[in-house]
Amino acid sequence: MTLPRIVIERCQYLARCTEEPGAITRPFASEAMRCAHERVGEWMREAGMSVRRDNVGNLRGRYEGTADATVLLGSHLDSVRDAGKYDGPLGVIIAIAAVQRLHDRGRRMPFAIEVLAFADEEGLRFGSTYLGSRAVSGSFDTRDLDRTDSGGITMREAIRAFGGDPDSIDEDRWRGGSLLGYVEAHIEQGPVLEARGLPVGVVTGIAGQDRHVLTFKGEAGHAGTVPMDRRRDALVAAAIFVETVAAYAEGHPVPGLVATVGQLTVRPGATNVIPGEVTLSLDVRHPDDAERILTSKRLLDVAADIGSHRHIAVEASHVADNAATPCSPRLTALLVRAVEDLDHPVVELASGAGHDAVAMSALTDVAMLFVRCKGGVSHNPAESVTTEDVAVAIDVVSRFLELLAEE
Ligand code: GLV
Ligand code: MN
Ligand code: MN
């Protein structure tokens, strides 16, 4: 079987590592993640790498070079709920394939290559983003260890149960000497490459992102007996807020703003009970940080206003705040040259999705390669890539490594 075909089959294989039968849901530090680690660890070893798992739960494969410096390649193995097969795993498995190719040829580069399979990019279990890459870059916030998942398990407990030491996350910080950068391949998650008829694109930067959790607290009561003018219905206030968020982003004069309420929990949650409490998520993104911060503030003010009109207490907590991240001009130029050397037209594009490269930029230069995905669809089981495009992506990463070696 060809290497690109193996990559596709491996992504399909990892789809079986899930905590929801019939769907792909692979949260941080879960049994599904343990399943993914077993397989990915084997693939790393087959490619000539030594493998270890760190405290936060990243899987790290290392292919030694002939000199001291290291280049980092990778992406994440966790997923959203009911995910596709490629968001995250594709980047990890393409990186392993590029190393496999060197190993098969008995080649060593003048630098080590470390493939990082990150533990949590999506934040499905604890809401916060980039737990794995933050640990490596030294920007992990230990206050996050007290966060709880929907079952009341703290992150500290989850890390321990997965086999890591939550009190030693600091040891996960990069300590391997000089770094040449971090490069991540990822599906595009947008329509540009497909519209242009191109297999890959080079990323210029990643939009900033805010995540908030809002709680609307009213009063539960009997749906048949409490008169309408005496109700403090938390869901009605929350629903007005959801509508306002969409209208605000749709009508915003500065292009590039997106705002989403993606998660909503209604308590107590029964047909004949007035909703007493609603918790919802708010995700705000814009390429310009000032615009994002202003929007978040306005929307939180709106939530408070809606609450006070309807006698609902509104509490907000800021769970993620990621600045817009430019990619490194030096590494990006090498990726561009790699694409050109393979005779493909170069398109440079910005990412609206977040990536581990954001957290890694606190440690080293970062660059990203996007791979065309069908219909631009992601965070959806319909995610799809072609073997031909994966072949181009492996070739570009391999060529990039050659160019880096020539530098
Ligand atoms: C990750 O996929 C994100 O952009 O939220
Ligand atoms: Mn994602
Ligand atoms: Mn991703």
Side-chain angles (χ1 to χ4, degrees):
M1 204 183 320
T2 63
L3 203 47
R5 193 63 226 157
I6 289 172
V7 169
I8 299 271
E9 299 231 332
R10 286 178 172 179
C11 290
Q12 288 171 352
Y13 185 91
L14 286 186
R16 296 189 215 159
C17 296
T18 174
E19 67 174 27
E20 276 185 278
I24 303 170
T25 302
R26 195 164 46 246
F28 174 68
S30 58
E31 284 310 307
M33 184 61 86
R34 206 184 292 285
C35 160
H37 275 191
E38 273 167 28
R39 298 322 301 257
V40 173
E42 269 171 37
W43 301 332
M44 285 173 165
R45 275 184 282 272
E46 263 173 44
M49 288 182 260
S50 58
V51 181
R52 71 183 176 97
R53 198 181 64 194
D54 62 16
N55 286 301
V56 81
N58 298 314
L59 198 66
R60 303 182 178 201
R62 184 171 175 89
Y63 187 74
E64 295 298 341
T66 56
D68 276 348
T70 304
V71 67
L72 305 173
L73 306 178
S75 193
H76 59 100
L77 289 180
D78 68 310
S79 80
V80 294
R81 189 179 308 290
D82 199 9
K85 300 183 182 79
Y86 301 101
D87 175 355
L90 182 69
V92 174
I93 296 170
I94 283 178
I96 296 172
V99 174
Q100 179 83 54
R101 190 174 270 177
L102 295 171
H103 181 60
D104 289 348
R105 294 172 185 170
R107 285 237 9 229
R108 294 281 164 184
M109 304 306 273
F111 44 77
I113 302 171
E114 197 149 316
V115 176
L116 302 173
F118 289 117
D120 175 90
E121 185 264 4
E122 306 284 8
L124 173 64
R125 185 163 178 188
F126 292 101
S128 58
T129 48
Y130 312 135
L131 294 178
S133 39
R134 279 189 204 286
V136 175
S137 67
S139 55
F140 186 91
D141 184 344
T142 48
R143 286 172 301 185
D144 280 346
L145 292 168
D146 296 320
R147 284 182 190 281
T148 49
D149 68 7
S150 58
I153 298 172
T154 64
M155 189 187 296
R156 189 184 301 281
E157 290 164 338
I159 288 172
R160 199 168 281 125
F162 198 65
D165 176 2
D167 298 318
S168 303
I169 301 284
D170 194 53
E171 288 171 15
D172 296 348
R173 180 195 288 260
W174 178 256
R175 288 164 198 271
S178 84
L179 279 173
L180 299 172
Y182 167 77
V183 180
E184 177 168 356
H186 201 283
I187 53 167
E188 180 200 348
Q189 307 181 268
V192 175
L193 294 173
E194 193 171 71
R196 302 276 291 267
L198 298 174
V200 294
V202 179
V203 179
T204 52
I206 302 163
Q209 178 186 146
D210 264 333
R211 290 189 188 186
H212 306 269
V213 173
L214 282 80
T215 306
F216 291 71
K217 286 187 179 155
E219 190 176 19
H222 199 294
T225 61
V226 182
M228 294 309 285
D229 63 352
R230 298 239 188 142
R231 293 184 179 204
R232 292 172 55 223
D233 184 326
L235 181 56
V236 172
I240 294 169
F241 178 67
V242 174
E243 207 281 328
T244 308
V245 168
Y248 186 94
E250 282 160 12
H252 197 67
V254 183
L257 178 71
V258 285
T260 308
V261 175
Q263 213 171 24
L264 189 138
T265 310
V266 181
R267 288 187 202 88
T271 323
N272 56 350
V273 183
I274 298 162
E277 185 175 307
V278 169
T279 305
L280 57 79
S281 63
L282 172 66
D283 178 312
V284 178
R285 306 186 190 206
H286 197 280
D288 179 66
D289 287 330
E291 204 58 50
R292 167 179 55 87
I293 291 163
L294 185 66
T295 299
S296 279
K297 183 181 175 321
R298 292 216 170 120
L299 291 176
L300 295 180
D301 288 348
V302 166
D305 284 351
I306 294 169
S308 74
H309 273 107
R310 305 196 71 94
H311 307 290
I312 302 287
V314 180
E315 286 167 15
S317 97
H318 199 175
V319 293
D321 175 3
N322 295 303
T325 302
C327 289
S328 142
R330 174 182 68 91
L331 294 178
T332 301
L334 288 186
L335 273 180
V336 164
R337 270 184 61 201
V339 174
E340 284 169 349
D341 288 355
L342 292 159
D343 289 331
H344 291 286
V346 174
V347 61
E348 298 194 48
L349 66 179
S351 175
H355 299 287
D356 289 294
V358 171
M360 292 301 285
S361 70
L363 174 70
T364 185
D365 287 353
V366 302
M368 288 194 70
L369 181 74
F370 273 172
V371 182
R372 167 168 53 187
C373 60
K374 191 172 174 193
V377 170
S378 73
H379 286 187
N380 185 308
E383 271 173 23
S384 174
V385 297
T386 66
T387 312
E388 292 74 22
D389 290 355
V390 169
V392 174
I394 300 170
D395 288 348
V396 170
V397 173
S398 300
R399 181 72 194 132
F400 168 87
L401 294 172
E402 299 288 347
L403 292 170
L404 193 63
E406 286 166 17
E407 259 201 334

